[in-house]
Amino acid sequence: MNGYGGGTVDTWLISPKFASSDPNGLALAFNYASKYIGTDLKVKVSNDYVGYGNPATATWTDLSTIAAPTAQDNNYTIYSSGNIVTTLQGNVYFALTYTENASYSDWRITDLTVNVAPAANTPAVTVAEVTVPNFEAIVGSNNTQTITVSGENLNANITLAITGTDADLFELSNNEIAQTGGTVSNTEITIKYTPTAAGSHSATLTLSSTGATDVTRTLTGSASLPITMPDVIITEVYGGGGNSGATYQNDFIELYNNTETSVDISGWSIQYLSNTGTGTSTNIITIPASTSIAGKRYFLIQGASGGAVGATLPIPDATGTVNMSGSAGKVILYSTSAGQAIDATLASITGNVNFVDYVPFGSTATPVWGSATVNLSNTTSASRILTAGAYKFTPNIGLDFEVITPNPQNSGFTTDVDKTALNKNISVEYGKIKFTAIAGESVEVFNAVGQRLISQTTVEGLNSIPVAARGVVLVKI
Protein backbone atom coordinates (compact mmCIF):
# COMPACT_ATOMS: atom_id res chain seq x y z
CA MET A 1 0.00 0.00 0.00
CA ASN A 2 1.71 3.18 -1.14
CA GLY A 3 0.16 6.59 -0.66
CA TYR A 4 2.88 8.51 -2.50
CA GLY A 5 1.45 11.81 -3.68
CA GLY A 6 -0.80 12.37 -0.69
CA GLY A 7 -4.29 13.73 -1.16
CA THR A 8 -7.51 11.84 -0.57
CA VAL A 9 -6.62 8.22 -1.27
CA ASP A 10 -9.08 5.52 -0.24
CA THR A 11 -6.87 2.41 -0.19
CA TRP A 12 -7.95 -1.00 1.14
CA LEU A 13 -6.36 -4.42 1.37
CA ILE A 14 -9.11 -6.98 2.03
CA SER A 15 -8.59 -10.61 2.94
CA PRO A 16 -10.35 -13.63 1.47
CA LYS A 17 -13.43 -14.89 3.33
CA PHE A 18 -12.92 -16.92 6.50
CA ALA A 19 -15.63 -19.05 8.14
CA SER A 20 -15.54 -18.58 11.91
CA SER A 21 -17.35 -20.86 14.34
CA ASP A 22 -14.84 -21.25 17.19
CA PRO A 23 -15.95 -19.41 20.36
CA ASN A 24 -12.42 -18.06 20.80
CA GLY A 25 -12.72 -16.26 17.47
CA LEU A 26 -10.03 -15.67 14.83
CA ALA A 27 -6.55 -14.22 15.25
CA LEU A 28 -5.02 -12.14 12.46
CA ALA A 29 -1.23 -11.64 12.60
CA PHE A 30 1.33 -10.19 10.19
CA ASN A 31 4.71 -8.54 9.91
CA TYR A 32 4.91 -4.95 8.71
CA ALA A 33 7.34 -2.17 7.83
CA SER A 34 6.92 1.48 6.91
CA LYS A 35 9.63 3.88 5.82
CA TYR A 36 7.96 7.29 5.77
CA ILE A 37 6.41 9.49 8.42
CA GLY A 38 2.84 9.24 7.21
CA THR A 39 -0.60 7.97 8.09
CA ASP A 40 -1.44 5.24 10.60
CA LEU A 41 -2.66 1.86 9.37
CA LYS A 42 -6.04 0.65 10.66
CA VAL A 43 -7.06 -3.01 10.95
CA LYS A 44 -10.81 -3.63 10.47
CA VAL A 45 -13.18 -6.61 10.38
CA SER A 46 -16.61 -7.20 8.80
CA ASN A 47 -19.06 -10.09 8.57
CA ASP A 48 -21.48 -8.46 6.14
CA TYR A 49 -19.05 -7.57 3.34
CA VAL A 50 -20.00 -9.51 0.20
CA GLY A 51 -16.46 -10.10 -1.05
CA TYR A 52 -16.41 -7.55 -3.87
CA GLY A 53 -17.39 -3.99 -4.67
CA ASN A 54 -17.12 -0.85 -2.60
CA PRO A 55 -16.11 -1.78 0.99
CA ALA A 56 -17.85 1.35 2.29
CA THR A 57 -21.21 -0.35 1.75
CA ALA A 58 -20.36 -2.91 4.49
CA THR A 59 -20.11 -2.53 8.26
CA TRP A 60 -16.51 -2.52 9.47
CA THR A 61 -15.34 -2.63 13.08
CA ASP A 62 -11.94 -1.24 14.06
CA LEU A 63 -9.69 -3.86 15.67
CA SER A 64 -6.32 -2.13 15.91
CA THR A 65 -4.35 0.91 14.80
CA ILE A 66 -0.67 0.64 13.87
CA ALA A 67 1.23 3.90 14.17
CA ALA A 68 3.39 5.23 11.35
CA PRO A 69 7.08 5.85 12.07
CA THR A 70 7.88 9.02 13.99
CA ALA A 71 11.20 9.28 12.11
CA GLN A 72 12.05 8.13 8.60
CA ASP A 73 13.16 4.50 8.65
CA ASN A 74 15.36 3.91 5.62
CA ASN A 75 15.97 0.31 6.72
CA TYR A 76 12.27 -0.63 6.65
CA THR A 77 12.59 -2.22 10.11
CA ILE A 78 10.20 -5.18 10.35
CA TYR A 79 7.78 -5.44 13.27
CA SER A 80 5.16 -7.99 14.28
CA SER A 81 1.52 -7.06 14.83
CA GLY A 82 1.00 -9.90 17.29
CA ASN A 83 -2.43 -11.55 17.39
CA ILE A 84 -5.30 -9.20 16.53
CA VAL A 85 -8.43 -11.08 17.64
CA THR A 86 -12.07 -10.85 16.56
CA THR A 87 -14.90 -12.88 18.04
CA LEU A 88 -17.25 -12.31 15.08
CA GLN A 89 -18.91 -15.51 13.87
CA GLY A 90 -19.89 -16.58 10.37
CA ASN A 91 -18.21 -15.13 7.28
CA VAL A 92 -15.37 -12.86 8.33
CA TYR A 93 -13.30 -10.45 6.24
CA PHE A 94 -10.27 -8.57 7.52
CA ALA A 95 -9.11 -5.28 5.98
CA LEU A 96 -6.12 -2.98 6.24
CA THR A 97 -6.74 0.65 5.31
CA TYR A 98 -5.37 4.13 5.76
CA THR A 99 -7.10 6.01 8.55
CA GLU A 100 -7.38 9.25 6.52
CA ASN A 101 -5.42 10.76 3.65
CA ALA A 102 -2.43 8.70 2.53
CA SER A 103 0.12 11.44 3.33
CA TYR A 104 3.09 9.56 1.87
CA SER A 105 2.50 6.37 3.84
CA ASP A 106 4.26 3.26 2.56
CA TRP A 107 3.22 0.06 4.31
CA ARG A 108 4.74 -3.34 3.53
CA ILE A 109 2.82 -6.34 4.83
CA THR A 110 4.33 -9.87 4.89
CA ASP A 111 3.70 -13.27 6.47
CA LEU A 112 0.03 -12.62 7.15
CA THR A 113 -1.82 -15.49 8.88
CA VAL A 114 -5.34 -16.15 10.16
CA ASN A 115 -5.79 -18.83 12.82
CA VAL A 116 -8.21 -19.85 15.51
CA ALA A 117 -7.51 -17.46 18.40
CA PRO A 118 -5.71 -18.84 21.45
CA ALA A 119 -7.86 -19.68 24.43
CA ALA A 120 -8.60 -16.70 26.65
CA ASN A 121 -5.99 -15.89 29.30
CA THR A 122 -3.23 -17.86 27.55
CA PRO A 123 0.17 -16.39 28.57
CA ALA A 124 2.01 -14.83 25.65
CA VAL A 125 5.38 -13.14 25.13
CA THR A 126 5.96 -10.94 22.08
CA VAL A 127 8.97 -9.13 20.63
CA ALA A 128 8.08 -6.25 18.32
CA GLU A 129 11.18 -6.63 16.13
CA VAL A 130 10.91 -9.66 13.87
CA THR A 131 14.67 -9.60 13.22
CA VAL A 132 17.48 -8.07 15.23
CA PRO A 133 19.76 -6.01 12.94
CA ASN A 134 23.29 -7.27 12.43
CA PHE A 135 25.79 -5.98 14.98
CA GLU A 136 28.95 -4.43 13.50
CA ALA A 137 31.93 -3.48 15.63
CA ILE A 138 35.67 -3.10 15.65
CA VAL A 139 37.55 -5.58 17.85
CA GLY A 140 38.01 -3.86 21.20
CA SER A 141 34.83 -1.76 20.87
CA ASN A 142 31.12 -2.64 20.97
CA ASN A 143 27.83 -2.13 19.16
CA THR A 144 24.27 -2.20 20.55
CA GLN A 145 20.78 -2.94 19.26
CA THR A 146 17.46 -2.77 21.09
CA ILE A 147 14.31 -4.88 21.11
CA THR A 148 10.86 -4.12 22.54
CA VAL A 149 9.28 -6.84 24.68
CA SER A 150 5.65 -7.19 25.79
CA GLY A 151 3.60 -9.87 27.54
CA GLU A 152 0.01 -10.57 28.50
CA ASN A 153 -1.81 -13.02 30.79
CA LEU A 154 1.55 -13.84 32.39
CA ASN A 155 1.86 -16.04 35.46
CA ALA A 156 5.56 -15.31 35.93
CA ASN A 157 8.26 -12.83 34.92
CA ILE A 158 9.89 -12.99 31.48
CA THR A 159 13.41 -14.41 31.51
CA LEU A 160 15.97 -13.75 28.78
CA ALA A 161 18.96 -15.95 27.98
CA ILE A 162 21.59 -16.02 25.23
CA THR A 163 22.95 -19.38 24.08
CA GLY A 164 25.13 -20.64 21.28
CA THR A 165 28.78 -20.76 20.24
CA ASP A 166 29.36 -17.02 20.54
CA ALA A 167 26.98 -16.30 23.42
CA ASP A 168 29.76 -14.79 25.52
CA LEU A 169 30.16 -11.94 22.98
CA PHE A 170 26.58 -10.71 23.54
CA GLU A 171 25.29 -9.11 26.74
CA LEU A 172 21.77 -8.12 27.82
CA SER A 173 20.86 -4.99 29.74
CA ASN A 174 18.42 -7.11 31.76
CA ASN A 175 18.06 -10.89 32.12
CA GLU A 176 14.56 -10.67 33.59
CA ILE A 177 11.54 -8.45 33.03
CA ALA A 178 9.07 -8.19 35.89
CA GLN A 179 5.37 -8.55 35.08
CA THR A 180 2.75 -6.43 36.81
CA GLY A 181 -0.75 -7.85 36.97
CA GLY A 182 0.19 -10.38 34.27
CA THR A 183 1.36 -7.68 31.87
CA VAL A 184 4.64 -6.40 30.45
CA SER A 185 4.22 -3.33 28.25
CA ASN A 186 6.75 -2.25 25.62
CA THR A 187 9.87 -2.81 27.69
CA GLU A 188 13.08 -1.97 25.85
CA ILE A 189 16.03 -4.33 26.19
CA THR A 190 19.51 -3.40 24.96
CA ILE A 191 21.80 -6.07 23.54
CA LYS A 192 25.53 -5.28 23.44
CA TYR A 193 27.99 -7.01 21.11
CA THR A 194 31.67 -6.89 22.16
CA PRO A 195 33.84 -8.94 19.79
CA THR A 196 37.26 -10.18 20.85
CA ALA A 197 38.34 -11.39 17.40
CA ALA A 198 37.56 -10.53 13.80
CA GLY A 199 34.96 -12.58 11.94
CA SER A 200 31.26 -13.44 11.98
CA HIS A 201 29.53 -14.42 15.21
CA SER A 202 26.08 -15.67 16.11
CA ALA A 203 23.97 -16.65 19.10
CA THR A 204 20.32 -17.24 20.00
CA LEU A 205 18.26 -15.07 22.33
CA THR A 206 15.37 -16.88 24.04
CA LEU A 207 12.56 -15.19 25.98
CA SER A 208 10.50 -17.42 28.29
CA SER A 209 7.66 -17.25 30.78
CA THR A 210 5.77 -20.06 32.48
CA GLY A 211 2.94 -21.32 30.25
CA ALA A 212 3.91 -19.11 27.29
CA THR A 213 5.50 -20.25 24.04
CA ASP A 214 9.21 -19.34 23.96
CA VAL A 215 10.20 -16.51 21.60
CA THR A 216 13.61 -16.69 19.94
CA ARG A 217 15.64 -14.20 17.94
CA THR A 218 18.92 -14.84 16.12
CA LEU A 219 21.80 -12.52 16.99
CA THR A 220 24.52 -12.00 14.37
CA GLY A 221 27.65 -9.90 14.61
CA SER A 222 30.43 -8.88 12.23
CA ALA A 223 33.77 -7.83 13.70
CA SER A 224 36.77 -6.32 11.97
CA LEU A 225 40.26 -5.41 13.12
CA PRO A 226 41.21 -1.78 13.65
CA ILE A 227 42.85 -0.24 10.60
CA THR A 228 45.59 2.37 10.20
CA MET A 229 44.44 5.84 9.25
CA PRO A 230 46.07 7.08 6.02
CA ASP A 231 47.92 10.40 6.08
CA VAL A 232 45.16 12.05 4.01
CA ILE A 233 41.49 11.28 4.65
CA ILE A 234 38.10 12.39 3.34
CA THR A 235 36.41 14.45 6.06
CA GLU A 236 33.25 15.78 4.38
CA VAL A 237 31.08 15.07 1.31
CA TYR A 238 28.25 17.28 0.00
CA GLY A 239 26.32 16.52 -3.20
CA GLY A 240 23.36 18.93 -3.11
CA GLY A 241 25.16 21.96 -4.50
CA GLY A 242 22.95 24.41 -6.41
CA ASN A 243 19.81 22.29 -6.11
CA SER A 244 16.51 23.54 -4.76
CA GLY A 245 17.03 24.91 -1.25
CA ALA A 246 20.76 24.08 -1.34
CA THR A 247 23.12 25.43 1.30
CA TYR A 248 25.96 25.91 -1.20
CA GLN A 249 26.06 26.46 -4.96
CA ASN A 250 28.52 23.62 -5.60
CA ASP A 251 29.12 20.05 -4.51
CA PHE A 252 32.33 19.57 -2.55
CA ILE A 253 34.67 16.99 -1.06
CA GLU A 254 36.88 18.00 1.84
CA LEU A 255 40.22 16.29 2.55
CA TYR A 256 42.39 16.56 5.63
CA ASN A 257 46.10 15.92 6.26
CA ASN A 258 46.22 14.02 9.52
CA THR A 259 50.00 14.41 9.93
CA GLU A 260 52.21 17.23 11.14
CA THR A 261 54.11 17.45 7.84
CA SER A 262 53.18 18.34 4.27
CA VAL A 263 51.86 15.52 2.03
CA ASP A 264 52.33 15.66 -1.76
CA ILE A 265 49.03 14.75 -3.47
CA SER A 266 50.03 15.64 -7.04
CA GLY A 267 48.11 13.54 -9.54
CA TRP A 268 45.77 12.04 -6.95
CA SER A 269 42.07 11.99 -7.76
CA ILE A 270 38.56 11.85 -6.40
CA GLN A 271 36.52 9.30 -8.37
CA TYR A 272 32.74 9.34 -8.06
CA LEU A 273 30.22 6.59 -8.81
CA SER A 274 26.48 6.43 -8.27
CA ASN A 275 25.04 4.71 -5.21
CA THR A 276 25.06 1.24 -6.86
CA GLY A 277 27.47 2.01 -9.73
CA THR A 278 30.29 -0.35 -10.72
CA GLY A 279 32.86 -0.49 -13.52
CA THR A 280 35.58 2.01 -14.37
CA SER A 281 34.87 5.51 -13.13
CA THR A 282 34.67 8.33 -15.67
CA ASN A 283 33.63 10.95 -13.09
CA ILE A 284 37.10 12.03 -11.98
CA ILE A 285 38.48 15.18 -10.34
CA THR A 286 42.27 15.19 -10.72
CA ILE A 287 44.48 16.99 -8.21
CA PRO A 288 46.85 19.30 -10.15
CA ALA A 289 50.61 18.73 -10.30
CA SER A 290 52.81 20.32 -7.61
CA THR A 291 49.98 20.18 -5.06
CA SER A 292 50.44 19.35 -1.41
CA ILE A 293 48.50 19.65 1.85
CA ALA A 294 50.28 21.21 4.78
CA GLY A 295 50.25 19.38 8.10
CA LYS A 296 46.93 19.44 9.96
CA ARG A 297 45.33 21.36 7.09
CA TYR A 298 42.20 20.86 5.01
CA PHE A 299 41.93 20.71 1.21
CA LEU A 300 38.65 21.73 -0.42
CA ILE A 301 37.66 20.22 -3.79
CA GLN A 302 34.80 21.95 -5.59
CA GLY A 303 32.48 19.88 -7.78
CA ALA A 304 29.72 20.77 -10.20
CA SER A 305 26.70 22.93 -9.46
CA GLY A 306 23.09 21.94 -10.01
CA GLY A 307 22.00 25.59 -10.23
CA ALA A 308 22.54 29.03 -8.77
CA VAL A 309 20.99 28.31 -5.37
CA GLY A 310 23.07 28.58 -2.21
CA ALA A 311 26.12 30.39 -0.86
CA THR A 312 29.50 30.46 -2.55
CA LEU A 313 32.02 27.95 -1.22
CA PRO A 314 35.20 29.14 0.48
CA ILE A 315 37.97 29.46 -2.13
CA PRO A 316 38.51 25.86 -3.34
CA ASP A 317 41.96 24.29 -3.50
CA ALA A 318 40.99 22.23 -6.56
CA THR A 319 37.98 22.19 -8.88
CA GLY A 320 36.19 19.70 -11.11
CA THR A 321 32.95 19.21 -13.01
CA VAL A 322 31.71 16.01 -11.34
CA ASN A 323 28.04 16.28 -10.41
CA MET A 324 27.25 14.09 -7.40
CA SER A 325 23.89 12.92 -6.11
CA GLY A 326 22.48 14.97 -3.29
CA SER A 327 21.29 11.87 -1.41
CA ALA A 328 23.42 8.76 -2.05
CA GLY A 329 26.60 7.89 -3.93
CA LYS A 330 30.23 7.01 -3.33
CA VAL A 331 33.51 8.89 -3.51
CA ILE A 332 36.91 7.23 -3.57
CA LEU A 333 40.28 8.92 -3.04
CA TYR A 334 43.02 7.31 -5.14
CA SER A 335 46.72 8.14 -5.43
CA THR A 336 46.37 8.07 -9.23
CA SER A 337 44.30 10.02 -11.75
CA ALA A 338 43.64 6.99 -14.00
CA GLY A 339 40.08 5.67 -13.86
CA GLN A 340 39.90 2.69 -11.50
CA ALA A 341 37.48 -0.23 -11.89
CA ILE A 342 35.36 -1.58 -9.07
CA ASP A 343 32.76 -4.31 -8.80
CA ALA A 344 30.12 -4.95 -6.14
CA THR A 345 32.71 -6.14 -3.59
CA LEU A 346 34.45 -3.93 -1.04
CA ALA A 347 37.75 -5.67 -1.78
CA SER A 348 37.74 -4.23 -5.32
CA ILE A 349 38.05 -0.78 -3.70
CA THR A 350 40.08 -1.22 -0.52
CA GLY A 351 42.34 -3.82 -2.12
CA ASN A 352 43.45 -1.47 -4.93
CA VAL A 353 47.15 -0.49 -4.61
CA ASN A 354 46.16 3.13 -5.32
CA PHE A 355 43.39 3.22 -2.71
CA VAL A 356 43.56 5.92 -0.02
CA ASP A 357 40.04 6.46 1.41
CA TYR A 358 36.41 5.63 0.60
CA VAL A 359 33.12 7.22 1.64
CA PRO A 360 29.86 5.60 0.50
CA PHE A 361 27.15 8.06 1.58
CA GLY A 362 23.41 7.43 1.82
CA SER A 363 21.58 4.29 2.87
CA THR A 364 21.50 2.79 -0.66
CA ALA A 365 25.21 3.18 -1.45
CA THR A 366 26.99 -0.12 -2.15
CA PRO A 367 29.31 -1.70 -1.39
CA VAL A 368 29.07 -0.48 2.18
CA TRP A 369 32.15 -0.13 4.36
CA GLY A 370 30.72 -1.34 7.66
CA SER A 371 27.31 0.33 7.94
CA ALA A 372 25.79 3.08 5.83
CA THR A 373 25.02 6.71 6.60
CA VAL A 374 21.46 7.90 6.24
CA ASN A 375 20.54 9.66 3.00
CA LEU A 376 21.88 13.19 2.56
CA SER A 377 19.91 16.15 1.21
CA ASN A 378 20.46 19.55 -0.39
CA THR A 379 21.02 20.96 3.09
CA THR A 380 23.08 18.20 4.72
CA SER A 381 26.50 16.64 4.26
CA ALA A 382 28.32 13.57 5.56
CA SER A 383 31.03 14.76 7.95
CA ARG A 384 33.68 12.65 9.67
CA ILE A 385 33.31 12.84 13.45
CA LEU A 386 35.96 14.93 15.21
CA THR A 387 36.49 14.21 18.90
CA ALA A 388 39.10 15.93 21.06
CA GLY A 389 41.00 17.06 17.97
CA ALA A 390 41.16 13.59 16.37
CA TYR A 391 39.07 12.23 13.50
CA LYS A 392 37.42 8.82 13.76
CA PHE A 393 38.69 6.32 11.24
CA THR A 394 37.46 2.72 11.33
CA PRO A 395 36.23 0.30 8.66
CA ASN A 396 32.68 1.42 9.47
CA ILE A 397 31.40 4.57 7.75
CA GLY A 398 28.19 4.58 9.77
CA LEU A 399 30.17 4.96 12.99
CA ASP A 400 32.71 7.43 11.59
CA PHE A 401 30.39 9.95 9.93
CA GLU A 402 27.50 12.12 11.04
CA VAL A 403 24.99 14.08 8.96
CA ILE A 404 25.33 17.85 9.55
CA THR A 405 24.78 21.23 7.98
CA PRO A 406 27.56 21.52 5.36
CA ASN A 407 30.74 23.11 6.76
CA PRO A 408 33.37 23.29 3.98
CA GLN A 409 36.94 24.13 5.01
CA ASN A 410 39.82 24.91 2.66
CA SER A 411 43.59 25.00 3.17
CA GLY A 412 43.19 28.15 5.26
CA PHE A 413 41.70 26.07 8.07
CA THR A 414 43.61 23.89 10.51
CA THR A 415 42.62 21.93 13.62
CA ASP A 416 45.68 23.39 15.38
CA VAL A 417 45.18 27.12 14.78
CA ASP A 418 41.37 27.28 14.92
CA LYS A 419 41.27 26.43 18.60
CA THR A 420 41.78 29.77 20.39
CA ALA A 421 40.29 29.81 23.88
CA LEU A 422 38.52 33.11 24.49
CA ASN A 423 37.65 32.60 28.16
CA LYS A 424 36.57 29.82 30.47
CA ASN A 425 33.04 29.64 29.03
CA ILE A 426 33.39 30.31 25.31
CA SER A 427 35.77 28.97 22.68
CA VAL A 428 36.23 28.56 18.95
CA GLU A 429 36.96 25.04 17.77
CA TYR A 430 37.07 23.76 14.21
CA GLY A 431 34.93 26.53 12.74
CA LYS A 432 32.32 26.35 15.51
CA ILE A 433 31.68 28.70 18.44
CA LYS A 434 31.07 26.67 21.61
CA PHE A 435 29.74 27.83 24.97
CA THR A 436 27.43 26.76 27.77
CA ALA A 437 24.16 28.51 28.51
CA ILE A 438 20.65 28.03 29.78
CA ALA A 439 17.90 27.49 27.21
CA GLY A 440 16.18 30.46 25.58
CA GLU A 441 18.92 33.09 25.75
CA SER A 442 19.59 35.27 22.72
CA VAL A 443 22.93 34.78 20.94
CA GLU A 444 24.20 36.99 18.11
CA VAL A 445 27.43 36.81 16.11
CA PHE A 446 28.87 39.88 14.36
CA ASN A 447 31.86 40.25 12.06
CA ALA A 448 34.61 42.83 12.59
CA VAL A 449 32.71 45.59 10.77
CA GLY A 450 29.54 45.08 12.77
CA GLN A 451 27.46 43.00 10.35
CA ARG A 452 25.26 40.48 12.15
CA LEU A 453 25.99 36.98 10.85
CA ILE A 454 23.84 34.86 13.21
CA SER A 455 20.87 35.46 15.48
CA GLN A 456 19.28 32.56 17.36
CA THR A 457 18.36 31.30 20.81
CA THR A 458 20.39 28.97 22.97
CA VAL A 459 19.69 25.40 24.02
CA GLU A 460 20.30 24.04 27.51
CA GLY A 461 23.94 23.10 28.17
CA LEU A 462 26.58 23.00 25.45
CA ASN A 463 25.87 25.11 22.36
CA SER A 464 27.87 24.59 19.15
CA ILE A 465 27.27 27.10 16.35
CA PRO A 466 28.94 26.71 12.92
CA VAL A 467 30.19 30.09 11.66
CA ALA A 468 31.03 30.49 7.97
CA ALA A 469 33.42 33.41 8.55
CA ARG A 470 37.12 33.95 9.12
CA GLY A 471 38.99 36.43 11.31
CA VAL A 472 37.68 38.15 14.43
CA VAL A 473 34.02 37.83 15.37
CA LEU A 474 32.03 39.28 18.26
CA VAL A 475 29.74 36.92 20.16
CA LYS A 476 26.95 38.50 22.20
CA ILE A 477 24.99 36.25 24.55
Side-chain angles (χ1 to χ4, degrees):
M1 301 172 67
N2 192 329
Y4 183 76
T8 303
V9 180
D10 192 19
T11 305
W12 292 67
L13 274 174
I14 302 178
S15 76
K17 178 178 65 179
F18 294 93
S20 176
S21 58
D22 193 286
N24 292 324
L26 297 179
L28 171 74
F30 52 87
N31 296 337
Y32 65 91
S34 182
K35 175 178 180 178
Y36 298 105
I37 305 168
T39 304
D40 296 345
L41 187 69
K42 186 157 286 189
V43 182
K44 298 174 178 285
V45 67
S46 173
N47 63 355
D48 64 2
Y49 181 59
V50 296
Y52 56 87
N54 185 356
T57 62
T59 302
W60 295 90
T61 301
D62 292 344
L63 291 178
S64 179
T65 297
I66 297 175
T70 56
Q72 183 160 315
D73 181 0
N74 292 314
N75 295 320
Y76 280 102
T77 304
I78 301 174
Y79 299 95
S80 172
S81 69
N83 282 335
I84 300 173
V85 176
T86 177
T87 56
L88 286 181
Q89 302 292 297
N91 295 332
V92 174
Y93 291 87
F94 294 98
L96 308 178
T97 181
Y98 296 116
T99 55
E100 295 174 358
N101 292 344
S103 185
Y104 301 97
S105 294
D106 184 356
W107 291 93
R108 301 186 176 190
I109 309 299
T110 61
D111 303 307
L112 187 146
T113 61
V114 175
N115 293 291
V116 172
N121 303 321
T122 299
V125 175
T126 59
V127 175
E129 294 76 12
V130 174
T131 58
V132 180
N134 184 56
F135 297 79
E136 296 178 334
I138 309 301
V139 173
S141 65
N142 61 70
N143 183 220
T144 61
Q145 302 288 351
T146 59
I147 59 173
T148 305
V149 181
S150 298
E152 58 184 8
N153 303 317
L154 300 177
N155 301 311
N157 293 342
I158 299 174
T159 59
L160 301 90
I162 298 176
T163 58
T165 304
D166 303 310
D168 59 327
L169 304 182
F170 297 89
E171 180 183 355
L172 296 168
S173 60
N174 198 336
N175 292 306
E176 186 174 27
I177 305 173
Q179 55 87 18
T180 301
T183 300
V184 168
S185 180
N186 295 327
T187 299
E188 195 170 86
I189 297 293
T190 300
I191 310 164
K192 183 167 69 173
Y193 168 62
T194 308
T196 56
S200 298
H201 307 105
S202 64
T204 300
L205 169 65
T206 303
L207 299 91
S208 306
S209 182
T210 303
T213 300
D214 287 353
V215 176
T216 61
R217 292 291 184 267
T218 299
L219 308 179
T220 58
S222 301
S224 54
L225 294 171
I227 62 174
T228 303
M229 184 186 301
D231 291 345
V232 177
I233 58 176
I234 300 170
T235 48
E236 190 169 1
V237 175
Y238 172 66
N243 298 339
S244 175
T247 305
Y248 286 96
Q249 288 186 11
N250 291 81
D251 300 346
F252 70 83
I253 300 99
E254 179 188 277
L255 308 181
Y256 178 70
N257 178 0
N258 193 53
T259 73
E260 300 287 348
T261 58
S262 179
V263 174
D264 186 353
I265 58 172
S266 301
W268 288 24
S269 67
I270 287 289
Q271 302 195 14
Y272 171 77
L273 295 96
S274 68
N275 56 335
T276 58
T278 56
T280 301
S281 175
T282 56
N283 295 310
I284 300 174
I285 301 177
T286 300
I287 308 298
S290 303
T291 301
S292 61
I293 308 179
K296 299 297 182 180
R297 292 274 175 172
Y298 295 94
F299 190 89
L300 184 62
I301 302 172
Q302 176 179 290
S305 174
V309 180
T312 302
L313 288 174
I315 299 173
D317 300 297
T319 60
T321 58
V322 170
N323 191 6
M324 300 191 297
S325 166
S327 58
K330 44 184 178 274
V331 294
I332 311 171
L333 177 61
Y334 287 113
S335 59
T336 178
S337 60
Q340 302 295 293
I342 72 167
D343 57 29
T345 66
L346 183 61
S348 67
I349 300 173
T350 58
N352 188 314
V353 294
N354 300 304
F355 169 74
V356 181
D357 198 8
Y358 171 46
V359 178
F361 63 93
S363 61
T364 57
T366 56
V368 174
W369 200 2
S371 59
T373 71
V374 299
N375 282 354
L376 304 186
S377 71
N378 297 337
T379 59
T380 58
S381 67
S383 179
R384 192 176 294 275
I385 296 171
L386 182 66
T387 305
Y391 279 108
K392 290 190 67 174
F393 192 89
T394 71
N396 193 327
I397 294 300
L399 299 180
D400 290 355
F401 279 76
E402 59 184 342
V403 174
I404 66 166
T405 300
N407 183 34
Q409 300 170 100
N410 60 15
S411 55
F413 289 84
T414 167
T415 55
D416 284 346
V417 176
D418 270 353
K419 198 176 181 182
T420 306
L422 302 180
N423 58 39
K424 66 178 182 178
N425 293 322
I426 185 167
S427 64
V428 178
E429 300 183 57
Y430 322 119
K432 297 179 181 179
I433 294 173
K434 296 186 177 182
F435 58 89
T436 56
I438 62 173
E441 293 186 283
S442 171
V443 55
E444 297 175 297
V445 180
F446 301 85
N447 64 16
V449 296
Q451 294 173 312
R452 187 170 63 183
L453 307 177
I454 292 171
S455 177
Q456 63 186 61
T457 55
T458 58
V459 297
E460 186 72 23
L462 179 65
N463 288 253
S464 180
I465 303 176
V467 180
R470 300 172 65 181
V472 177
V473 296
L474 173 68
V475 182
K476 180 182 177 182
I477 305 171

